[in-house]
Each structure stands twice: as C-alpha cells, then as structure tokens.
Amino acid sequence: MNFYFKILALSALLVSCTSHNNEMTQHKVAIKKDTVMAGDTSKHEDKFEYVSEQFSDLRILRYQVKDFDKMPLQIKALLFYLYEAALSGRDIFYDQNYKHNLTIRKTLEAIVGNYKGEVENEQYQKFLVYAKRVWFSNGIHHHYSMDKFFPECDKTFFKDLIIGSDSTLLPLNKNQSKNQFAEFITNLIFDPAIAPKKVSLDSKTDLVKSSAVNFYEGVTQKEVNDFYAAMIDKKSKENPSYGLNSKVVKENGKLVEKKWMVGGMYTQAIEKIVYWLEKAVTVAENDNQKNALIKLIKFYKSGDLKDFDEYNIAWVKDTESSVDVVNGFIEVYEDPLGRKGTFESVVSVKDFEASKRIAAIGAEAQWFEDNSSILPQHKKKNVKGISAKVINAVVETGDSSPSTPIGINLPNNEWIREVHGSKSVNLGNIVEAYDQAAGGSVVNEFYYTDEIKQRVLKCASLGDKLHTDMHEVIGHASGQTEPGIGSSSETLKNYASALEEGRADLVALYYLMDKKLVELGVMPSLDYGKAAYDEYITKGLIIQLSRIKAGKNIEEAHMRNRLMVSAWVYEKGKKDNVIEKKMENGKTFFVINDYEKLRVLFGDLLREIQRIKSQGDFKAGQALIENYGVKVDKALHKEVLERYASLKMSPYQGFIQPKLIPVMEGEKIIDVKIEYPKNFVKQMLEFGKNYGFLPAYN
C-alpha cells in the first residue's frame, strides 16, 4: 500500500502555469548550454536561476532553502548531519533498481571525470547525454516509463571510451581484462533483450521474472507471494510490512531474505547512515525527535520490521520539531509485487507561515470524513492524528531525487495510520521552483477557450497546492477496511498503488468544488476548484500522453490513476454531456460543461474505489485499471506527441541539490553554509566520489 503522492510535476505537465499577484505573466528562463564542468556553484544570486539545463526528455531545475542563513546553529548542524545521512544511502537505490547499475554508473563516472578528448565531439556529447540520463534515473531504465533507454553514440565509440580509461578507475572483476570488461558493459547497455523493463505490471507475465529490479533472484512470483503469505498473522491487525527491507533469493531450494541492515546487505552504506544519524541525535530539538531518531538507528542495526513500526509510531508523535526527515526503505512503487521499499531520504525544515493553509485543512479532517461520498461503513468514526505542514526541502536522495514528490503522507503501514495517525507535508520550495520555471505555452496549446486558459493561469497554481494538500492530508488518511480484510498489497496486489493514488485524488477532487474550502479561508472562490478540474481532465486524457512512447500503453501507477479517473468520469458523463470532446483544426480538446455534475461523478467513483479497498475486491480493482487506466488511443496519442514536440519542452524535470558545507573549529561545527550548485554533471561526479560507499555488486 502506498501513501506517497509522487506527482512528478514536470515542465508544466503536472504543474500549472502560474500567475503571481494575479498577473498573467510567463516566467522566462534561460536554458544553459550543456557543459561538462563549468559553472559550478552560486552562494548568492541577485536573481535565482531556477533552470539549469535541458537534454533528452529531461530538464534540470534548482530550488532554494528560504532563510537558511538566519537559522540557529543547532538547526543548521542538525540539518547537516541529516543531509550527510541522506546522501550516504544514495548507492542503495541504484543497486535496488538493477543489479548492474552501480557497475555501469562507476564506469560512466570514470570516463566523464577523466575524459581528455574533445568535449565538443558529437559522439562524446551523445555519450554524455546518456550518462546524465543514467544519473537522473538512478540507473539504465527510465525513471517514469520503466523502459530501458540506450545511448545514441556508437557502440564502438562507447567501448573505446572504456578501453581508453585508467584500469584502476574501472570496477573490473578479479582477473578480468579491460577488453573483457568493455565487452561485458557495452552488451549490458546496448542489448535491448537484456533487462528491457525495470518494473513490469503486465498481468499476463510472471511479474518477478519480467522485472529487472534487484529485489528477487532465482524465484517466481508465486513463490514470493506464498513466502510472505505464510508470515501474515490473520488474527492480528498489527502485522509489519513483511518484506520491506530485504532481497529474496533461493538457497538450497528454499527462499531466504537478505536483510538490508548493519552487518547485512548494503552494510557499508547503512553504517554511514547510522553514523550521521547518531550525530543528529546529539543536537535533536526535543525528546520526541531524539526518540524517533534513536528508534530509526535501532531498526537499521536490527533489520527487524517491528522496530521499524516502533520508529514510525515515534516519528508520527514528533509534531513540534521544525526539522524533519524521511530516511529509510519507504516506497514500494519499484517492486512489481508492492512489497520492497526503496531507499529514499527527504530532509526538510518547516515553513511556518505557509503551513497555516494545510493545517486549516487538517484540523477539519473529521468533517471531511463525515461528509465524504463513501459508504457509511467505510468511514472512520475517529480520524486519528493527521499532522500537516508545508516544508522546505534541504536535500533529497534515493527514490526522491533528482525527480521528486511535491507531497508526502506517511507512514505507509495501515494499522499505524489508523491507531497512531500520520504526517502530511507539502514541499513548498519544490512547488515554488516548479511554478517559477513554468511557461504558458502548454496552457495555450491544450486548453480550449480563452476563458478556460485565463482561469487556469490565474487559479490553477493555488488549485494545485490545495489538491496536493487534500490528497495528502485528507485523501490518504480517509476510509477504513472492513473487519478481516488484509492490506491492499495483499488484496489488490499489483493494482494497489494506482487504486490508492486514484482514491486520494478523488477525495481531493470531490472537495475542491466544496464551499467548505472557501469558508475555511484557504480558497478565494470555486473558480479555483474549476481550474483544478480543467487541469485534471486535460492532463489525464491528453497532456500526460506526451510522456508515453508511440505504440506503448500506460504502466506507471500515477499515470494509470489519472487516466482511469478521467476516462471513467468522461464515459459515465456522456449521457449528460458533462465533459465534451471537441475537435478544432485537427486538435482534440476535452471541455467540462457541468462542474457540479462532474463533482458528483468524482464522488461516485470515490465510493466505488473505497469499497474495492475496504472489501479487498481484486477483480473489480483490476477491471477499473485495465479498462480505463492502461490502453491509449493511438490516434490521439500521435496527435499529442506532435503537439507537445512543437513546444520544444521536456516533459520531465528534476533537481540539483543544495550543498551544505560545515564551518569547523577543530572538531566542532561553528556554522553551516549553503550553496546552490548549477552544474548537474559536477554534482553527480562529486556524489559518486564522496558517497559511493557500496561495491559494484552487493
């Protein structure tokens, strides 16, 4: 079950064009030419440059940490220690994505960091783009489509780069020659038959065998499902998230877990994480924060998921601290079976002023639950402890970087949420960076009338923030399962994530056209709800298709969710012409004619998806996703690809991370400075050098 709202809001695809002070202005940004090492950092800039560069289907952005220089030394030191702990686990995510990723990444780093040839050489530039794509996706598979991608340079050129490199810098196996190594690596990278898909959700295949992720080896999907089914105590509602922190392999004919812990798999990186977390304990803001960090350290040392649950309970109780951290094996998107948690860390500091909006929504959680469209038996009678705030990210790593969420709701374990509550956050400075980097061309291309375009430009930025707030604070925290029904990962299996994201989206959509938000003072008028509806339908049915290669169907969970919701309400509203498909000059548009009736349809679908979750109705959930969220209209897809290509914009974005630098007096930190690097390549090389703690194979 996944409660992480990983909206990859990229190049105005999922971030609206914004208007500050209600002026419909476009933010003009300079796209820098691709360089290898030049233009590294900036401590202070008169005008902060949010866009660094663009290549392939990717754009690299930057974000700021507001008022970092004004923070007390204790807070700065705490943020620095958590920053180091976050980056120390970076290698883990690469290895989880594919067992050869670290070997490939170390090879790329050796070449790029020591290249002595002509930088402007066309073949080298193509090679460099491939290297940057690997860094962006934390491996050789696209971070969103999950498909393997390939270099555009010649295979011979690639191989010559390896052979021309210093052997001592390459991750050669024992007794392996450089020529043998070069042959091995180039075959891995260029052969389309090797590991073609990182995560396969094709229900017609064995999902374990058809996925390249490094969570299973020598086992089948059925063996894994049976292995974990035997662990579940069906009489208890407090089962840990079995399998979250391990790789499953077969030894002597039996399935065993290789735990990710100190002394186990990934120990070299985890020991560094623990070292910095122990430093953080010494400068914790209060007892609750200190207790949570101590319990996280205990989990890393024991590998016991009951300890992880204890940590999550303690973490939920820490609501007063200004500094917060997510660090661990959290999200299960990368596992086709929805069990294995990928490493990620988000270190943040609270934005107290901006948090007033999200806190106002969280305070009314019970009202939203009571007035939901879901069936009475599926409503919580006592919504537990939803703490909500806006945060400013300080560093993101692993599954949160370079591509990042804009909202987080944790923990994921359902029984902890029901008994102890959850935390919801909106990443304010990330959203701000997306807004500042956005342009108006997407709105002009894909929205039908001037009235709709102007409303989107004026209102959709706040509408998006409210959608994220409602999705996280109310959506994921709402509803309850019926007695005796297991977790969604057990009952809904590979459809659990898409259905859960759809459920949370629908909660947000249902209330974005409710006067309650106006009464709370968080939304000026229902025009903001209308703008959010316009965006959701247009993105779900049209714009997001720009991310899919021609001839492909949709596999990523969030994209399935958005298409499923949009296509379902479009079909069910045809009789009343709620959403109308219009054609003009060969271009397709979807126009909402009745916002109130659309809200009713959103409520109807919310009720059904909550029923599916509450009753563990796999067949109904499967039918929803397969019938509405997977198949792509080929003619429309071709049209959208051509229209989006004309905008010359990359559909995906991610971030260069700020750099924290301690000022030392002997062994004592007397200050921490922040810098904002501008060069993606340089940061990736520095990260590889300074935080490459794992061997090539683990």
Side-chain angles (χ1 to χ4, degrees):
M1 185 173 300
N2 203 305
F3 295 97
Y4 194 96
F5 189 34
K6 195 161 186 177
I7 291 190
L8 305 176
L10 308 169
S11 195
L13 190 56
L14 295 177
V15 170
S16 69
C17 305
T18 184
S19 164
H20 294 288
N21 300 320
N22 293 330
E23 295 176 0
M24 289 186 291
T25 58
Q26 294 183 15
H27 299 288
K28 296 181 179 179
V29 293
I31 306 297
K32 292 185 173 293
K33 287 187 177 180
D34 191 10
T35 58
V36 180
M37 303 294 287
D40 52 354
T41 62
S42 173
K43 294 180 182 179
H44 301 285
E45 300 176 41
D46 293 334
K47 187 176 181 180
F48 191 81
E49 296 178 15
Y50 286 92
V51 180
S52 173
E53 64 173 309
Q54 182 168 307
F55 53 88
S56 185
D57 60 350
L58 307 171
R59 191 159 70 144
I60 306 297
L61 306 182
R62 304 160 71 223
Y63 65 89
Q64 291 178 292
V65 183
K66 185 170 65 177
D67 295 329
F68 183 89
D69 293 339
K70 299 176 183 178
M71 295 176 189
L73 177 58
Q74 180 188 1
I75 298 300
K76 287 182 177 180
L78 177 58
L79 288 170
F80 172 70
Y81 292 143
L82 295 173
Y83 166 94
E84 290 290 324
L87 287 167
S88 294
R90 176 174 175 263
D91 275 3
I92 296 173
F93 186 48
Y94 274 88
D95 195 72
Q96 289 177 318
N97 281 335
Y98 180 49
K99 68 179 181 179
H100 296 296
N101 270 341
L102 286 174
T103 298
I104 293 169
R105 195 196 78 195
K106 290 173 186 289
T107 302
L108 298 175
E109 289 168 350
I111 296 170
V112 177
N114 300 277
Y115 182 67
K116 300 296 191 293
E118 176 55 51
V119 172
E120 297 303 322
N121 177 286
E122 182 182 0
Q123 286 292 310
Y124 181 75
Q125 283 297 312
K126 289 179 177 180
F127 163 80
L128 185 61
V129 168
Y130 177 75
K132 289 190 286 188
R133 294 186 72 188
V134 170
W135 285 320
F136 189 96
S137 293
N138 296 279
I140 65 171
H141 298 88
H142 195 280
H143 73 289
Y144 214 73
S145 73
M146 305 295 176
D147 291 328
K148 184 178 180 180
F149 54 83
F150 304 93
E152 293 185 4
C153 64
D154 295 337
K155 184 176 180 180
T156 301
F157 178 82
F158 200 114
K159 188 181 295 185
D160 288 344
L161 285 175
I162 299 174
I163 294 172
S165 299
D166 185 341
S167 295
T168 63
L169 301 176
L170 297 171
L172 302 178
N173 291 331
K174 189 176 181 180
N175 300 322
Q176 186 179 37
S177 72
K178 193 158 52 171
N179 283 351
Q180 289 172 329
F181 178 76
E183 185 70 24
F184 170 69
I185 289 296
T186 51
N187 283 340
L188 272 181
I189 290 172
F190 282 88
D191 189 340
I194 297 176
K197 195 82 173 177
K198 181 170 74 170
V199 181
S200 173
L201 295 178
D202 184 352
S203 59
K204 300 181 183 67
T205 68
D206 183 308
L207 299 182
V208 168
K209 290 185 174 182
S210 58
S211 299
V213 283
N214 192 25
F215 298 134
Y216 310 100
E217 196 159 340
V219 296
T220 66
Q221 179 179 348
K222 183 179 186 306
E223 287 175 324
V224 174
N225 285 335
D226 291 346
F227 180 70
Y228 285 114
M231 295 184 185
I232 302 297
D233 181 354
K234 294 183 179 180
K235 295 181 180 179
S236 173
K237 287 200 70 176
E238 299 187 1
N239 283 287
S241 301
Y242 288 116
L244 190 70
N245 65 327
S246 65
K247 178 179 178 178
V248 176
V249 301
K250 188 178 288 186
E251 292 183 353
N252 300 319
K254 293 184 178 181
L255 271 63
V256 297
E257 291 186 307
K258 301 290 186 182
K259 290 285 186 72
W260 306 327
M261 58 181 286
V262 172
M265 192 172 175
Y266 303 140
T267 185
Q268 301 94 327
I270 295 174
E271 287 171 25
K272 294 290 186 181
I273 296 171
V274 167
Y275 171 83
W276 290 109
L277 290 177
E278 288 175 340
K279 290 275 192 182
V281 168
T282 67
V283 290
E285 295 179 70
N286 51 58
D287 287 342
N288 280 342
Q289 187 181 66
K290 182 177 182 179
N291 184 45
L293 290 171
I294 288 172
K295 289 184 182 297
L296 178 56
I297 292 166
K298 182 182 179 184
F299 162 68
Y300 273 130
K301 290 181 176 180
S302 72
D304 188 336
L305 286 166
K306 291 182 179 179
D307 288 339
F308 186 62
D309 284 351
E310 289 298 315
Y311 155 68
N312 279 304
I313 293 168
W315 179 75
V316 166
K317 291 179 181 178
D318 177 21
T319 58
E320 301 300 321
S321 300
S322 59
V323 172
D324 208 346
V325 61
V326 173
N327 186 300
F329 309 113
I330 310 296
E331 300 306 329
V332 296
Y333 290 112
E334 307 299 308
D335 179 6
L337 303 187
R339 287 194 174 275
K340 304 298 175 184
T342 47
F343 176 82
E344 67 183 353
S345 187
V346 177
V347 179
S348 62
V349 62
K350 185 175 181 179
D351 185 327
F352 287 91
E353 184 62 31
S355 292
K356 292 177 181 178
R357 180 192 74 239
I358 196 170
I361 292 171
E364 295 291 333
Q366 193 63 57
W367 185 92
F368 288 114
E369 184 77 353
D370 294 343
N371 289 275
S372 173
S373 64
I374 64 178
L375 296 172
Q377 63 266 34
H378 298 154
K379 294 180 180 180
K380 289 180 178 176
K381 302 299 183 288
N382 183 21
V383 178
K384 294 281 184 177
I386 304 169
S387 64
K389 59 186 176 182
V390 175
I391 62 172
N392 287 319
V394 176
V395 69
E396 300 176 297
T397 68
D399 203 2
S400 293
S401 175
S403 181
T404 171
I406 59 173
I408 300 172
N409 184 277
L410 293 171
N412 285 336
N413 194 317
E414 183 66 28
W415 76 262
I416 295 178
R417 301 170 64 80
E418 291 183 4
V419 176
H420 300 282
S422 62
K423 282 185 185 179
S424 292
V425 298
N426 181 304
L427 281 70
N429 59 339
I430 297 295
V431 173
E432 174 69 11
Y434 280 136
D435 281 351
Q436 292 290 337
S441 56
V442 171
V443 174
N444 289 327
E445 176 62 39
F446 290 104
Y447 293 84
Y448 189 60
T449 66
D450 288 341
E451 178 186 357
I452 295 171
K453 292 174 185 178
Q454 290 178 21
R455 183 168 58 227
V456 168
L457 286 168
K458 177 183 177 182
C459 303
S461 180
L462 176 58
D464 283 345
K465 292 182 177 73
L466 290 168
H467 184 278
T468 303
D469 294 346
M470 295 295 298
H471 177 114
E472 300 296 348
V473 180
I474 306 302
H476 283 314
S478 69
Q480 63 183 0
T481 56
E482 295 183 4
I485 302 298
S487 68
S488 294
S489 63
E490 301 165 42
T491 59
L492 304 180
K493 302 175 183 178
N494 51 303
Y495 298 103
S497 292
L499 288 167
E500 176 56 31
E501 294 305 317
R503 192 182 71 90
D505 265 1
L506 285 161
V507 171
L509 291 165
Y510 185 70
Y511 284 114
L512 278 166
M513 281 296 292
D514 196 303
K515 291 182 180 179
K516 180 70 172 180
L517 296 184
V518 179
E519 293 170 6
L520 289 174
V522 298
M523 189 169 77
S525 71
L526 291 182
D527 276 351
Y528 292 79
K530 288 181 178 180
Y533 277 25
D534 292 330
E535 276 205 309
Y536 196 90
I537 295 301
T538 298
K539 289 169 181 174
L541 293 177
I542 300 179
I543 300 177
Q544 74 168 358
L545 297 182
S546 65
R547 294 180 163 189
I548 305 297
K549 290 182 179 179
K552 296 278 188 177
N553 284 326
I554 293 179
E555 292 198 51
E556 199 279 331
H558 293 88
M559 294 182 72
R560 284 184 164 192
N561 135 47
R562 284 188 290 271
L563 178 59
M564 177 267 294
V565 170
S566 301
W568 191 92
V569 295
Y570 171 62
E571 179 186 284
K572 301 303 179 185
K574 277 186 175 180
K575 179 181 177 182
D576 295 325
N577 203 28
V578 176
I579 302 171
E580 186 176 356
K581 182 179 180 180
K582 291 179 177 287
M583 298 294 297
E584 187 171 289
N585 298 323
K587 295 180 179 181
T588 304
F589 301 89
F590 287 91
V591 182
I592 300 169
N593 292 322
D594 194 322
Y595 293 89
E596 288 298 333
K597 286 185 178 179
L598 179 54
R599 186 195 181 208
V600 172
L601 290 172
F602 283 141
D604 291 344
L605 183 55
L606 170 60
R607 183 186 308 111
E608 172 60 8
I609 293 182
Q610 182 63 61
R611 183 200 67 77
I612 288 169
K613 177 181 178 180
S614 296
Q615 297 177 351
D617 190 342
F618 174 81
K619 288 186 177 180
Q622 180 185 42
L624 262 183
I625 298 298
E626 292 291 346
N627 292 336
Y628 294 97
V630 176
K631 297 178 180 64
V632 175
D633 182 303
K634 292 182 180 180
L636 177 59
H637 190 193
K638 182 176 182 294
E639 174 199 322
V640 172
L641 289 175
E642 291 172 353
R643 290 167 68 182
Y644 201 86
S646 70
L647 303 178
K648 301 188 184 307
M649 295 179 66
S650 297
Y652 302 98
Q653 295 179 149
F655 288 89
I656 296 173
Q657 302 301 316
K659 184 175 183 178
L660 300 192
I661 304 168
V663 180
M664 306 298 294
E665 192 174 85
E667 297 296 315
K668 183 180 179 182
I669 293 180
I670 60 172
D671 197 7
V672 179
K673 301 295 185 182
I674 192 166
E675 294 183 354
Y676 298 101
K678 293 183 176 181
N679 189 288
F680 181 62
V681 171
K682 183 172 182 180
Q683 181 164 88
M684 293 298 98
L685 292 176
E686 286 182 350
F687 283 175
K689 179 181 178 182
N690 298 330
Y691 303 100
F693 299 125
L694 293 182
Y697 293 100
N698 298 273

